[in-house]
């Protein structure tokens, strides 16, 4: 072990001894430097200036002694180890010296102990110094601790005082407030309530440190209150809510409560501070206002919805009306053309029939005449269709039950349409009587079903349904030309190609077709339209491209018929006298010829005024009058009226191809018995004549 060079002060009057000591130390002791003195003065000086680490002192010295030296050392350097290196020394003396502060004794005859003694003394001295330093710092720490304790106590006192003052201030302010002011423990129990709060709820102030067990919140608002408070517990955010608080008289008033949590430094909530402001009046009027606004809003919304529906409905009706007007115009045009064609056809048909009567069987012209007749009849059919569309045809209508008729048509369709079309009939009409012409009605179903089949070239489903439909005055009518009331509906649905909007808009127009020339003329639906409209019915179409279409026909429900059976078709002859009036010569000639052949005596005139004169001369000269409607000078209706004035009960038949201006009701009132549509076939004409003559009273 190496030691730092230590300084040794030796007090020794005998140089040999001093040398011995040094030698001994050098032999086994630490590395050192030494200073040897032999009197008090130099000893004292050496202590102050040499700063020894250890003092080795002889006990007996001339003019100075070891005990005094020890005293000097303890005075000037109390902590420096002091070892006596001496001859024999009494035990008592030694104890005494040790008490006075000597650290050790080494006898001169046992100097070999000296190095160890020096090391130990130095070690002890160092230890002592360290201990002293430790004690010193401990004492210092104690002192500081005491001071900070005192400081803290002072601070706590100050803070407590401040807190008390602040709490007093808080209570003072809170008590002057018109709101309920309160504080609550972390668990929500109220531990302070201001004066106004106590008075409002009607409870006494509790003992200090106590809290109330009150639940002044309205039971209906309790859940929301607790939920809001719980949320605030989690978020630590202030909260506010509106709830009802019970007053001392058990009445509840609305309050706006605001609350903030106060937390400790670890973030735990230690207190809630809250105020509750009475908003009862505001809240009640707000609720009333809210209800008022809500009611008004809903009224407005309803009005708006109504307006929207009405606007849409008006637009739909306007569109349907536009469509109906267009169809009306087209009908007028087509009807006008058909009328002229009719007159021409009547002449062709009449004359061909006459020629056929005259041409012998074996004449080759007969074949040509038959061709003319066939073609003319085809043309007449076409014209009839146009007239049907323009509602100029006047087919006889009678009450009929449409279920058997539709069933029969369905059977026919099923037999004739391809098997790839799956057909279904749903006949659910409880009251299926309509005032209609059976062949026209059949035509309606046939045309709709044929179109449906055409729309499904690759097969599909075709459904014909019959059902009752009733519309109140307030109901939306499917067709604006319909009236409210009871209807029998026939719908024809298919799963075919469907139609786009522009096709759908035009389907009822005559000659509108999307089919190839030869496959469709475009008259099918216009005929349906004409028939349905002439029955005061309606028709609708719904369609989705690639999905299919549904056409629905609504026919006004009619009353049960008396059950007059239909007669067999046969040209009926007669011998009565007929006055026939028509300004068209060809027609007049043909009719005269046809009627004469049936046995009648015919007077055919072109001028209605002449006819009137002739009739006036002898009112019994004729059994029946057949007159055209549109004639120069006087129309057929006026003529009929005049004749009937002269001879009431006279059978008058009005025939026209252009009866739009003829009011059927008016004509009937005037006594006109029959209406016939041009061109007149022999069958129709002979039937009508027999009807009026045979019914004669
Ligand atoms: N069920 C339907 N599905 C799809 N399109 C249809 C349907 N019914 C009618 N249409 C369309 O309406 C058009 C007119 O029909 P309409 O019956 O008047 O004439 P058409 O069938 O073309 O010819 P026509 O009936 O004179 O032989 C048709 O060409 C077709 O484009
Ligand atoms: Mg068709």
């Amino acid at each position: 072990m190496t030691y730092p060079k230590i300084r040794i002060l030796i007090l020794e009057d005998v140089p040999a001894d001093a040398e011995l000591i040094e030698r001994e130390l050098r032999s086994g002791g630490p590395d050192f430097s030494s200073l040897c003195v032999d009197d008090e003065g130099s000893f004292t000086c050496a202590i102050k200036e040499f700063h020894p680490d250890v003092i080795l002192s002889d006990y007996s010295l001339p003019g100075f002694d070891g005990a005094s030296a020890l005293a000097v050392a303890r005075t000037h350097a109390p902590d420096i180890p002091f070892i006596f290196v001496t001859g024999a020394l009494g035990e008592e003396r030694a104890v005494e010296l040790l008490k006075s502060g000597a650290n050790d004794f080494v006898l001169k005859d046992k100097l070999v102990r000296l190095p160890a003694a020096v090391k130990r003394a130095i070690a002890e001295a160092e230890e002592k110094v360290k201990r002293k330093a430790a004690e010193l710092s401990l004492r210092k720490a104690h002192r500081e601790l005491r001071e900070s304790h005192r400081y803290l106590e002072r601070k706590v006192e100050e803070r407590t005082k401040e807190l008390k003052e602040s709490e007093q201030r808080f209570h003072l302010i809170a008590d002057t407030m018109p709101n309920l002011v309160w504080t609550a423990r972390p668990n929500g129990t109220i531990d302070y309530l201001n004066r106004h709060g106590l008075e409002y709820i009607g409870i006494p102030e509790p003992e200090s440190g106590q809290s109330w067990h009150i639940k002044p919140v309205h039971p209906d608002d309790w859940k929301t209150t607790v939920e809001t408070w719980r949320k605030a517990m989690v978020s630590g955010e202030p909260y506010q809510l509106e709830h009802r608080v019970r007053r001392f008289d058990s009445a509840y008033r609305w309050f706006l409560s605001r609350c903030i949590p106060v937390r400790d430094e670890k973030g735990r909530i230690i207190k809630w501070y809250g105020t509750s402001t009475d908003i009862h009046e505001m809240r009640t009027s707000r609720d009333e206002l809210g209800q008022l606004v809500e009611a008004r809003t809903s009224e407005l919304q309803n009005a708006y919805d109504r307006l929207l529906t009405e606007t849409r409905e008006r637009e739909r009706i306007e569109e349907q009306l536009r469509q109906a007007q267009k169809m009306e115009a087209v009908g007028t045009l087509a009807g006008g053309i058909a009328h002229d064609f009719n007159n021409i056809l009547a002449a062709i048909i009449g004359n061909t029939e006459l020629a056929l009567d005259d041409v012998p069987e074996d004449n080759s012209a007969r074949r040509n005449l038959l061709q003319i007749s066939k073609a003319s009849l085809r043309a007449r059919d076409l014209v009839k269709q146009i007239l049907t569309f323009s509602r100029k045809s006047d087919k006889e209508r009678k009450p009929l039950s449409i279920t058997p008729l539709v069933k029969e048509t369905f059977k026919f369709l099923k037999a004739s349409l391809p098997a790839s079309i799956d057909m279904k009939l749903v006949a659910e009409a409880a009251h299926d009587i309509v005032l209609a012409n059976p062949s026209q009605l059949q035509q309606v179903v046939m045309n709709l079903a044929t179109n449906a089949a055409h729309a499904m070239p690759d097969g599909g489903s075709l459904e014909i349904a019959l059902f009752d439909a009733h519309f109140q005055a307030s109901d939306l009518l499917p067709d604006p030309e319909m009236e409210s009331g009871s209807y029998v509906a026939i719908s024809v649905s298919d799963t075919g190609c469907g139609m786009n909007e522009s096709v759908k808009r035009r389907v009822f127009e005559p000659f509108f077709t999307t089919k190839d020339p030869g496959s469709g003329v475009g008259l099918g639906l216009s005929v349906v339209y004409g028939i349905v409209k002439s029955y005061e019915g309606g028709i609708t179409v719904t369609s989705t491209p690639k999905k299919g279409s549904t056409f629905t026909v609504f026919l006004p429900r009619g009353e049960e018929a008396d059950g007059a059976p239909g007669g067999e078709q046969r040209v009926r002859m007669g011998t009565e006298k007929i006055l026939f009036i028509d300004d068209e010569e060809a027609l007049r000639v043909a009719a005269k010829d046809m009627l004469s052949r049936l046995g009648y005596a015919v007077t055919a005139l072109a001028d209605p005024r002449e006819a009137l004169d002739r009739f006036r001369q002898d009112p019994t000269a004729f059994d029946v009058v057949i007159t055209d409607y549109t004639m120069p000078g006087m129309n057929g209706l006026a003529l009929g009226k005049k004749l009937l004035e002269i001879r009431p009960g006279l059978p008058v038949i009005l025939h026209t191809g252009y009866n739009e201006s003829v009011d059927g009701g008016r004509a009937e009132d005037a006594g006109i018995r029959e209406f016939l549509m041009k061109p007149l076939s022999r069958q129709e004409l002979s039937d009508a004549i027999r009807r009026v003559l045979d019914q004669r009273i």
Side-chain angles (χ1 to χ4, degrees):
M1 187 192 261
T2 53
Y3 288 89
K5 200 167 189 178
I6 54 171
R7 285 183 301 276
I8 300 177
L9 176 63
I10 303 168
L11 179 64
E12 180 58 67
D13 59 320
V14 183
D17 282 356
E19 208 167 303
L20 264 173
I21 288 167
E22 285 184 350
R23 196 185 310 140
E24 198 58 48
L25 285 172
R26 229 168 266 127
S27 71
D31 189 12
F32 68 96
S33 63
S34 62
L35 177 68
C36 198
V37 291
D38 56 2
D39 58 53
E40 184 181 358
S42 46
F43 179 69
T44 311
C45 190
I47 286 174
K48 288 178 186 167
E49 284 165 15
F50 183 59
H51 300 297
D53 295 307
V54 63
I55 300 168
L56 303 179
S57 170
D58 195 5
Y59 183 69
S60 12
L61 298 157
F64 193 38
D65 65 285
S68 306
L70 178 62
V72 168
R74 286 296 161 258
T75 308
H76 297 291
D79 297 327
I80 297 170
F82 196 103
I83 299 169
F84 281 107
V85 181
T86 175
L89 197 71
E91 197 175 326
E92 243 171 74
R93 190 73 193 131
V95 170
E96 215 171 280
L97 289 172
L98 283 174
K99 276 186 183 164
S100 310
N103 295 72
D104 205 353
F105 291 92
V106 174
L107 295 178
K108 282 187 178 171
D109 54 359
K110 286 194 180 145
L111 275 180
V112 65
R113 266 191 62 232
L114 192 59
V118 167
K119 276 186 215 164
R120 191 171 59 242
I122 287 172
E124 279 173 4
E126 277 171 0
E127 189 57 33
K128 201 169 157 194
V129 167
K130 271 189 208 158
R131 211 168 40 241
K132 235 177 183 170
E135 270 170 24
L136 266 176
S137 73
L138 195 67
R139 222 169 288 142
K140 194 178 163 214
H142 268 197
R143 206 169 44 246
E144 281 172 2
L145 201 66
R146 252 195 326 276
E147 273 169 18
S148 80
H149 189 67
R150 269 203 296 276
Y151 173 79
L152 279 176
E153 273 178 348
R154 250 191 343 270
K155 276 283 164 206
V156 168
E157 258 169 44
E158 277 170 28
R159 289 292 296 132
T160 315
K161 198 168 155 229
E162 275 172 21
L163 216 62
K164 230 176 189 161
E165 282 170 6
S166 132
E167 203 167 321
Q168 275 170 353
R169 256 199 318 276
F170 167 70
H171 286 186
L172 211 65
I173 295 167
D175 280 345
T176 61
M177 282 169 81
N179 315 41
L180 315 187
V181 181
W182 44 270
T183 62
R185 300 210 171 110
N187 68 359
T189 40
I190 292 171
D191 58 4
Y192 165 76
L193 192 56
N194 70 341
R195 189 144 308 284
H196 181 62
L198 295 170
E199 283 165 9
Y200 177 84
I201 298 176
I203 45 171
E205 204 166 346
E207 297 287 309
S208 95
Q210 297 291 304
S211 55
W212 298 270
H213 291 287
I214 43 164
K215 274 192 180 178
V217 173
H218 192 288
D220 289 353
D221 302 337
W222 184 244
K223 198 167 158 245
T224 335
T225 307
V226 171
E227 267 170 17
T228 315
W229 171 65
R230 284 218 179 103
K231 267 190 211 147
M233 282 276 277
V234 177
S235 68
E237 295 294 317
Y239 73 80
Q240 75 171 45
L241 86 156
E242 290 179 14
H243 53 191
R244 280 158 289 179
V245 180
R246 193 181 53 234
R247 205 166 55 183
F248 61 89
D249 57 358
S250 298
Y252 282 94
R253 289 180 69 79
W254 280 101
F255 278 82
L256 169 68
S257 291
R258 289 196 175 95
C259 190
I260 51 165
V262 174
R263 298 164 170 276
D264 63 12
E265 66 282 356
K266 284 191 180 138
R268 286 176 306 215
I269 292 172
I270 48 167
K271 197 111 174 149
W272 296 95
Y273 281 80
T275 61
S276 299
T277 310
D278 191 327
I279 52 159
H280 196 74
E281 267 72 39
M282 192 184 84
R283 170 80 193 220
T284 356
S285 56
R286 192 181 70 194
D287 285 352
E288 280 165 13
L289 198 72
Q291 278 165 8
L292 221 68
V293 168
E294 210 170 282
R296 195 78 192 99
T297 311
S298 120
E299 262 174 41
L300 278 172
Q301 184 62 44
N302 288 347
Y304 175 74
D305 289 348
R306 268 201 312 279
L307 197 72
L308 209 67
T309 321
E310 276 169 19
T311 311
R312 284 203 192 115
E313 184 49 20
R314 186 166 304 156
E315 280 169 5
R316 188 180 74 88
I317 290 172
E318 274 172 12
E319 173 57 27
Q320 283 180 329
L321 272 177
R322 259 198 303 279
Q323 197 66 13
Q325 279 162 359
K326 188 175 84 182
M327 299 296 276
E328 198 64 40
V330 175
T332 312
L333 186 71
I337 297 166
H339 166 252
D340 289 343
F341 268 107
N342 244 2
N343 285 343
I344 299 162
L345 279 172
I348 297 170
I349 291 168
N351 284 302
T352 313
E353 276 176 2
L354 288 177
L356 273 169
D357 282 350
D358 294 342
V359 176
E361 292 284 336
D362 54 352
N363 193 315
S364 64
R366 199 175 166 81
R367 216 182 57 241
N368 304 108
L369 283 170
L370 281 170
Q371 286 303 326
I372 293 171
S373 173
K374 230 164 111 188
S376 312
L377 287 172
R378 267 215 314 277
R380 191 181 72 163
D381 281 347
L382 204 64
V383 169
K384 248 192 212 156
Q385 290 195 54
I386 299 169
L387 287 170
T388 312
F389 162 68
S390 50
R391 290 174 251 172
K392 306 286 186 298
S393 83
D394 193 23
K395 285 270 190 176
E396 193 196 346
R397 288 164 63 189
K398 60 179 183 186
L400 62 96
S401 161
I402 63 173
T403 310
L405 186 137
V406 173
K407 276 187 176 162
E408 199 184 301
T409 315
F410 181 80
K411 246 195 266 168
F412 171 74
L413 283 164
K414 202 163 182 181
S416 51
L417 293 178
S420 59
I421 295 176
D422 181 26
M423 291 194 56
K424 193 173 165 196
L425 174 69
V426 185
E428 287 177 344
H431 303 278
D432 69 341
I433 305 293
V434 292
L435 190 62
N437 178 285
S439 61
Q440 280 189 329
L441 209 52
Q442 197 166 34
Q443 203 176 358
V444 167
V445 180
M446 290 285 288
N447 286 3
L448 294 177
T450 315
N451 281 349
H454 283 163
M456 302 184 285
D458 303 324
S461 303
L462 194 166
E463 183 184 291
I464 301 180
L466 284 177
F467 54 95
D468 299 302
H470 190 84
F471 301 103
Q472 311 273 9
S474 55
D475 286 346
L476 280 183
L477 291 157
D479 188 323
E481 292 187 325
M482 282 166 66
E483 307 257 314
S484 54
S486 297
Y487 287 82
V488 184
I490 312 168
S491 73
V492 178
S493 312
D494 64 68
T495 55
C497 59
M499 290 169 263
N500 61 28
E501 275 305 313
S502 67
V503 170
K504 208 168 82 180
R505 225 175 292 134
R506 300 190 58 196
V507 282
F508 299 116
E509 285 176 23
F511 301 107
F512 171 77
T513 181
T514 56
K515 293 172 190 169
D516 296 335
S519 328
V521 190
L523 277 178
L525 284 178
S526 38
V527 165
V528 170
Y529 184 91
I531 295 170
V532 172
K533 293 287 164 163
S534 71
Y535 292 180
E536 275 111 38
I539 182 161
T540 62
V541 50
T542 56
S543 185
T544 313
K546 296 192 187 128
K547 289 265 165 67
S549 316
T550 296
F551 285 82
T552 310
V553 165
F554 297 91
L555 300 174
R557 195 200 288 172
E559 294 301 322
E560 205 77 49
D562 298 339
E568 192 204 341
Q569 295 278 301
R570 184 166 58 81
V571 179
R572 292 146 84 192
M573 318 272 285
T575 54
E576 283 87 346
K577 287 165 277 175
I578 297 176
L579 175 59
F580 187 91
I581 309 121
D582 199 317
D583 59 329
E584 287 259 357
E585 201 200 356
L587 242 159
R588 207 169 54 239
V589 173
K592 185 172 178 190
D593 215 307
M594 187 195 295
L595 293 171
S596 312
R597 288 173 193 231
L598 290 174
Y600 296 105
V602 187
T603 308
L605 297 174
D607 186 348
R609 279 161 305 197
E610 192 193 342
L612 187 59
D613 286 343
R614 290 276 285 274
F615 189 80
R616 211 177 261 134
Q617 282 163 23
D618 183 3
T620 57
F622 302 102
D623 298 301
V624 59
V625 176
I626 303 171
T627 173
D628 185 17
Y629 178 73
T630 318
M631 291 178 296
M634 187 188 300
N635 69 33
L637 184 60
L639 174 65
K641 270 183 170 171
K642 288 204 159 53
L643 299 176
L644 282 158
E645 270 166 27
I646 300 165
R647 189 182 133 193
L650 168 79
V652 179
I653 297 171
L654 198 62
H655 71 95
T656 177
Y658 200 55
N659 74 342
E660 69 201 343
S661 52
V662 181
D663 180 336
R666 257 180 59 216
E668 239 169 77
D669 290 347
I672 308 290
R673 299 277 185 84
E674 285 274 347
F675 267 99
L676 289 181
M677 283 293 291
K678 284 184 189 173
L680 305 173
S681 78
R682 195 167 16 190
Q683 183 74 53
E684 286 164 354
L685 193 57
S686 66
D687 282 352
I689 294 168
R690 284 318 328 151
R691 269 199 303 274
V692 295
L693 288 173
D694 297 343
Q695 278 170 12
R696 212 161 14 152
I697 315 139

